[in-house]
Amino acid sequence: MIQTFTFYLFATIVIASGALTILSRNPVHSVLWLILAFFNAAGLMLIVGAEFIAMLLVIVYVGAVAVLFLFVVMMLDVDFAELRAGFVRYAGFGAAVALVLLVEVVLAVGSWNVGGIEVARKAAPVDAAVPNIQALGTVLFTRYLYIFEAAGLVLLVAMIGAIVLTHRTRSGLRPQKPSEQIRRRPEDATRNMNPGIGQGVEL
């Protein structure tokens, strides 16, 4: 009974916070509702026994992605009126995409209920006594080792590409010279001025 109540509580909060993420007028509030949705989704994962996915939701999505969204939204000078105008302009296209996704979900649920999809045969056998995280690590580093390494290599290439793009030579910039800054004396950086009355400072 407690597990059922907890499931419906988390599921209701996830749906409500997801709707408020879309409907909020303030983007900062939208990000905060999104963080609440991630936390409650992590609670749902804990109920079904997927502790690793719950940990990923909290650490990766809440601790990194959502916080990054929050800082970007707060730092950028976003014209909210223009964003709302764009929302109204593309409302028809968004409704069409939502309808297509709804039809696909209904077809997927109908196909599952009809039968013929035996997930147990395709899934790797797992001992019930083995913890969820240990079983996932065993599968990743044995059966899917090369795919896991390939994913890490793709992320490494993306990281190197971002570093190269950031440090490329661009004209019109004045780079810092730490050696000159360290050697600079206070008298080289400041000047005592005594301007007359009504006279401005000469630069």
Side-chain angles (χ1 to χ4, degrees):
M1 184 65 185
I2 296 178
Q3 186 176 5
T4 304
F5 173 76
T6 307
F7 170 78
Y8 281 110
L9 177 63
F10 285 163
T12 304
I13 296 177
V14 167
I15 296 174
S17 56
L20 290 172
T21 301
I22 301 173
L23 299 176
S24 296
R25 294 181 177 272
N26 193 333
V28 177
H29 295 168
S30 296
V31 176
L32 295 177
W33 287 118
L34 182 63
I35 293 174
L36 180 62
F38 283 150
F39 269 114
N40 287 274
L44 290 176
M45 293 298 106
L46 285 176
I47 292 176
V48 299
E51 301 91 357
F52 183 74
I53 299 179
M55 183 179 63
L56 284 182
L57 279 172
V58 174
I59 295 177
V60 177
Y61 285 92
V62 176
V65 177
V67 175
L68 178 63
F69 287 168
L70 184 62
F71 276 102
V72 169
V73 168
M74 294 177 66
M75 290 176 63
L76 294 180
D77 187 11
V78 181
D79 189 358
F80 300 127
E82 184 179 354
L83 287 179
R84 286 193 287 271
F87 176 79
V88 175
R89 184 187 311 166
Y90 297 107
F93 179 74
V97 173
L99 181 62
V100 171
L101 292 176
L102 179 62
V103 172
E104 290 180 351
V105 170
V106 172
L107 290 176
V109 174
S111 301
W112 181 272
N113 293 330
V114 168
I117 303 176
E118 298 182 2
V119 183
R121 291 187 177 181
K122 298 181 180 180
V126 179
D127 188 4
V130 177
N132 180 262
I133 298 177
Q134 182 179 350
L136 182 60
T138 303
V139 172
L140 277 179
F141 291 103
T142 55
R143 185 174 179 180
Y144 300 104
L145 177 62
Y146 294 111
I147 300 176
F148 185 75
E149 294 292 337
L153 183 62
V154 170
L155 293 176
L156 177 63
V157 171
M159 182 180 66
I160 295 175
I163 295 174
V164 170
L165 290 175
T166 304
H167 287 83
R168 70 180 187 271
T169 304
R170 289 176 292 182
S171 60
L173 297 180
R174 299 178 61 185
Q176 291 184 344
K177 297 180 180 179
S179 59
E180 295 183 0
Q181 294 177 352
I182 293 174
R183 291 196 304 265
R184 189 176 60 177
R185 296 173 300 176
E187 54 268 19
D188 297 334
T190 60
R191 288 189 301 169
N192 294 325
M193 304 294 293
N194 188 17
I197 299 175
Q199 181 182 358
V201 178
E202 297 180 358
L203 299 178

